[in-house]
Amino acid sequence: MRADWSGRDVVVKRTSPAELAVLRLFADLDEPMLPRLLASGVDGGGPWIVIPFHDGRAVDLMGEPPAEVHHRMGRLHARFHGRTDRLADALEVIDPAFVRRGLAEFGTEQLRRARDVIGESLYARGCRLLAALADDEAFCAAADGFDRTLLHGDLYGLNVLQPSGREPLPLIIDWGAARIGPAMFDVAMTTGYDSAGRRAHDRGWAEISGAEPDPEENELAHAWSTALISAMFAGTVAARSSAADGEQLIIAAEDSVQRFRRLHAVRQTSAPCVSGS
């Protein structure tokens, strides 16, 4: 809710424990694209926050945010890489159990809700994909094989506010789905691996860590993340946008699963063998 707070134009909202936790973490960071917490607390209705109001419009549902968004997220990911022990218990971890729930429960339910929109053939195709991935031990277990950091967790077009007037940069909003997982999960939400956005992300990472992330792990994590996200959200996108957009996500998931399996096989083959004496 937009409000006047001691003469300031602000947004006052009920929020999740995850968003409250990360906005408090951001207080010490000099990152202008992150929301600035003015006040917060927890009462009988749950957590609440006060943040500045920013004038602008969101990127489209299926739109790709400016590369600068990924650049700033790369900086954030690098800050918390290897430091997830500092993060609050309120943040969900993307682990094998999360993957199975996301596919077998959330993704399947979203597809069911879009059934009338997408038709029986595409619905059956999506269900087969979700069930196959949920039962794929190697795919689910891969969640534990990637380095983890702080994630936005839902970094798609409607959660990026484009500036208007004197606002200098986009604003990354709605951190209620903040999680802990591989950095490429945030990147894969809106952009491909061979993209200006992903390269901007890696430059931002290098600005904080001193070196770009490992390209082999990045490509593997991006393929895996794209498969998971596309499969999970195909039904959501179909219901909110169109059957054609939902179908494109199912195709992206199918293609990305194959890409992940090829990259994973190469990595397993090239891994050094260690023999005991």
Side-chain angles (χ1 to χ4, degrees):
M1 177 181 67
R2 187 175 177 180
D4 179 272
W5 187 69
S6 301
R8 298 193 62 168
D9 201 5
V10 301
V11 173
V12 182
K13 65 179 255 189
R14 290 287 178 186
T15 189
S16 68
E19 184 167 33
L20 177 58
V22 296
L23 293 194
R24 285 175 171 173
L25 284 173
F26 293 165
D28 297 330
L29 302 182
D30 182 22
E31 293 291 351
M33 291 175 69
L34 303 179
R36 187 159 62 89
L37 190 63
L38 299 175
S40 65
V42 180
D43 58 24
W48 56 268
I49 58 173
V50 180
I51 57 177
F53 172 80
H54 292 265
D55 193 19
R57 62 177 181 82
V59 176
D60 293 338
L61 172 67
M62 298 298 289
E64 182 171 339
E68 182 63 18
V69 170
H70 290 294
H71 170 238
R72 297 287 173 164
M73 285 303 302
R75 291 172 58 87
L76 183 70
H77 289 153
R79 289 184 190 277
F80 289 95
H81 176 237
R83 301 168 64 194
T84 54
D85 57 327
R86 294 182 54 203
L87 304 177
D89 292 339
L91 271 62
E92 187 174 31
V93 176
I94 297 180
D95 59 11
F98 171 91
V99 175
R100 292 188 184 92
R101 286 195 308 273
L103 295 165
E105 297 175 17
F106 175 83
T108 301
E109 176 60 24
Q110 294 300 306
L111 205 62
R112 186 177 298 114
R113 291 182 179 182
R115 190 171 187 170
D116 290 342
V117 174
I118 61 179
E120 290 302 316
S121 177
L122 191 57
Y123 171 73
R125 180 178 172 184
C127 286
R128 288 194 298 270
L129 173 64
L130 288 163
L133 290 180
D135 289 340
D136 187 330
E137 290 298 326
F139 184 84
C140 295
D144 280 340
F146 303 120
D147 289 346
R148 289 171 175 157
T149 187
L150 170 64
L151 303 178
H152 179 281
D154 198 19
L155 190 64
Y156 76 115
L158 296 184
N159 284 336
V160 176
L161 191 65
Q162 293 274 36
S164 63
R166 293 176 295 176
E167 296 285 351
L169 291 168
L171 187 72
I172 303 168
I173 61 174
D174 288 347
W175 289 77
R179 298 185 175 100
I180 297 169
M184 286 295 106
F185 188 90
D186 276 344
V187 176
M189 188 75 69
T190 57
T191 194
Y193 185 76
D194 186 19
S195 67
R198 196 274 304 166
R199 290 189 288 273
H201 172 276
D202 290 359
R203 287 195 300 273
W205 179 290
E207 289 172 5
I208 299 300
S209 69
E212 292 194 355
D214 177 80
E216 290 186 2
E217 170 158 338
N218 251 16
E219 189 173 7
L220 184 67
H222 188 280
W224 179 85
S225 297
T226 303
L228 175 61
I229 292 165
S230 299
M232 281 177 58
F233 290 102
T236 306
V237 167
R240 297 180 66 178
S241 180
S242 68
D245 284 339
E247 182 177 20
Q248 285 304 306
L249 283 194
I250 290 175
I251 293 170
E254 293 168 340
D255 291 345
S256 297
V257 169
Q258 296 306 314
R259 183 161 64 99
F260 164 74
R261 287 173 177 161
R262 288 196 301 269
L263 292 168
H264 187 262
V266 170
R267 192 169 190 181
Q268 293 295 102
T269 302
S270 61
C273 294
V274 179
S275 58
S277 56

